[in-house]
Amino acid sequence: MASHRRPKQPSRTRVTVLTTAAAAAVALSANAANAAPTEKIGKDEVKAKVDKLYEQAEQATEKYNGAKEKQQKLQKEISTIQDNVARGQQELNKLRDGLGSLATAQYRSGGIDPSVQLFLSSNPDDYLDKASTLDQLSAQQVEALKKIQDKQRELAQERAEATEKLKDLASTRTELGDKKKEVQGKLAEAQKLLNTLTAKEKAALAAQQARANRSSTERVDLGNDTSASGRAAAAFSAAQSKIGTPYVYGASGPSSFDCSGLTSWAYAQAGVSIPRTSEAQANIGTRLSESQLQVGDLVFFYGDLHHVGLYAGNGQVLHAPHTGAVVRYEAISDMPFQFGVRV
C-alpha cells in the first residue's frame, strides 16, 4: 500500500542559508565579470621603474657611505683619545707616587726641630746643606701638586670628549644600519618587479643590459680631449683598468665599486686622497662647466650630487653606473650633468 506521507520540507533556516549563498555567488560572478582584468606591466615600464629604484638605491648608498666613513673616523678618534687617557693616567700615577716620596722625605727631614739638628750635627756646613734640601723639597712638592692638578683636568676633558664621541658613534651606527636597510629594500623591490617578467622578457632585458655593458666598455674616441694633468691622467688610467668590474653598493675596490668608490680608488692609485662620498668630493678642487672639462676631472650628476664619474673626453664619462651594470663609458648627456671638479 503506497504511503500518503508528504515529503519532509526543508527548514526555514536552511532555506535562508541556501538563498543567501546563491545570492552571494551571483553577486561575485557579476562583479568578476564587470571588474577590469589586472593589467600586466610591460617590460619597458618594469625597466623604467627598476632604473628609478636603482637611482634611489644609489642615493641611499651615498648616505650609507657617508655614515660608514664617519663611523671609521670616530672609531679612530676614540681610539686615539682612549690611548691618550691611558698614558695620561700612567703619568698621573707617577706624579702621585713622586708626591708621596717627597712627602715622606720631607717628614723624615722635618720631623726633628732644626735647632736640635744643629746641635746634633758634627758639621754646621752639613746642616746648612740639609736645610737647603728641605726648602728644595717643599718647592718640588708644590710643583708636583700643580702638575697633578693639570693632568687631572686634562684627563677629565679627554674623558668627556670620548664620551661625546661614543654617543655620536652610536647614533652613526644606527644611521648606517638604517641606510643599509633602505638600500637593500630598494634593491629587493627592484628584484620583485623583475620577477614579474616572463622568462622571455627577462632574457631580453638581460641581453639589453649585456649589450650596454659590452658597447660601453670599449675604449672611446677621445678626439681632441686628451689634455689632463699628471695625477688626473693617472687616476683616469687606473679607472680604465677596472672597466668591466661590477657595481656593488658600498664597494670601493679593487674587485667591485660604487660610483664614488671608483673615483676615490682611482685617485688613490695616483697618490691623491679624496673624500669617499660624491657629495664630499663635489666640495674639493675647482668647479668647472662642461666646456672646461679635461680627462680625469670629476663629473657630478643629479641635483643632490649622488652620482659621480671621471670625465673621459669627447662628451663621455667613465663611471660605475648602478646595480646590474659594470664600470663603463657613457655619454654625459644620458644623465643630468651638474658640474665638474678638477682635483
Side-chain angles (χ1 to χ4, degrees):
M1 183 174 178
S3 171
H4 295 286
R5 289 183 184 177
R6 289 188 303 170
K8 187 176 180 182
Q9 298 296 317
S11 69
R12 183 176 295 178
T13 301
R14 186 163 177 265
V15 169
T16 303
V17 170
L18 290 171
T19 303
T20 303
V26 171
L28 285 171
S29 299
N31 288 339
N34 294 330
T38 303
E39 186 178 346
K40 186 180 184 302
I41 301 176
K43 174 174 70 69
D44 293 339
E45 190 176 351
V46 166
K47 183 180 183 307
K49 289 187 175 183
V50 166
D51 288 346
K52 185 63 179 176
L53 285 166
Y54 283 160
E55 182 187 332
Q56 293 170 352
E58 191 177 35
Q59 286 175 307
T61 293
E62 287 304 297
K63 299 294 183 186
Y64 167 83
N65 290 337
K68 190 174 182 181
E69 186 177 40
K70 184 178 179 182
Q71 177 186 354
Q72 291 169 344
K73 182 181 177 184
L74 282 169
Q75 285 175 328
K76 287 180 181 177
E77 289 175 352
I78 289 168
S79 179
T80 299
I81 293 172
Q82 288 175 336
D83 287 344
N84 290 341
V85 168
R87 282 195 299 269
Q89 188 62 54
Q90 288 178 343
E91 291 175 19
L92 182 59
N93 292 340
K94 287 180 181 178
L95 288 171
R96 283 174 172 162
D97 290 343
L99 181 62
S101 299
L102 288 173
T104 301
Q106 188 179 41
Y107 173 77
R108 287 173 178 168
S109 299
I112 302 176
D113 186 84
S115 59
V116 176
Q117 286 186 5
L118 182 58
F119 284 112
L120 294 175
S121 177
S122 58
N123 184 348
D125 291 333
D126 182 47
Y127 169 74
L128 292 174
D129 289 339
K130 289 180 180 178
S132 175
T133 302
L134 286 175
D135 291 338
Q136 186 181 359
L137 285 172
S138 178
Q140 288 177 356
Q141 191 175 37
V142 170
E143 183 64 24
L145 282 168
K146 185 176 181 301
K147 286 182 179 179
I148 286 173
Q149 289 173 337
D150 290 344
K151 182 56 67 175
Q152 285 175 328
R153 279 194 293 268
E154 182 184 329
L155 286 174
Q157 288 174 351
E158 288 180 333
R159 286 190 175 111
E161 186 181 355
T163 299
E164 288 304 310
K165 286 189 182 295
L166 283 167
K167 288 179 184 176
D168 199 3
L169 179 61
S171 63
T172 300
R173 280 176 173 160
T174 300
E175 182 188 359
L176 188 64
D178 291 343
K179 290 303 173 187
K180 186 174 183 178
K181 286 179 184 176
E182 185 178 349
V183 174
Q184 291 172 334
K186 295 294 182 185
L187 295 180
E189 195 176 343
Q191 188 59 53
K192 188 176 179 181
L193 271 172
L194 291 171
N195 290 341
T196 64
L197 298 175
T198 64
K200 186 177 179 180
E201 288 172 329
K202 286 178 184 177
L205 204 57
Q208 183 181 343
Q209 181 65 62
R211 282 194 302 272
N213 284 337
R214 265 197 313 275
S215 63
S216 301
T217 54
E218 297 169 359
R219 185 177 178 85
V220 295
D221 178 14
L222 300 181
N224 296 322
D225 297 326
T226 55
S227 57
S229 68
R231 289 184 174 180
F236 182 71
S237 178
Q240 280 185 311
S241 73
K242 292 301 177 180
I243 288 174
T245 304
Y247 177 102
V248 174
Y249 84 89
S252 55
S255 57
S256 58
F257 299 91
D258 60 25
C259 70
S260 58
L262 174 65
T263 51
S264 58
W265 177 87
Y267 266 94
Q269 307 318 298
V272 182
S273 176
I274 64 174
R276 172 63 176 86
T277 67
S278 59
E279 187 177 355
Q281 289 176 15
N283 292 317
I284 61 172
T286 306
R287 289 200 177 187
L288 311 164
S289 65
E290 188 171 350
S291 63
Q292 295 173 307
L293 292 173
Q294 294 179 1
V295 173
D297 287 336
L298 298 175
V299 280
F300 297 88
F301 302 90
Y302 301 97
D304 61 356
L305 309 176
H306 72 260
H307 190 71
V308 62
L310 291 163
Y311 185 61
N314 200 28
Q316 302 281 313
V317 59
L318 177 57
H319 67 150
H322 54 71
T323 298
V326 298
V327 175
R328 67 192 192 191
Y329 297 106
E330 206 158 334
I332 282 183
S333 57
D334 287 352
M335 298 170 285
F337 172 79
Q338 301 300 308
F339 55 82
V341 163
R342 184 156 300 146
V343 178

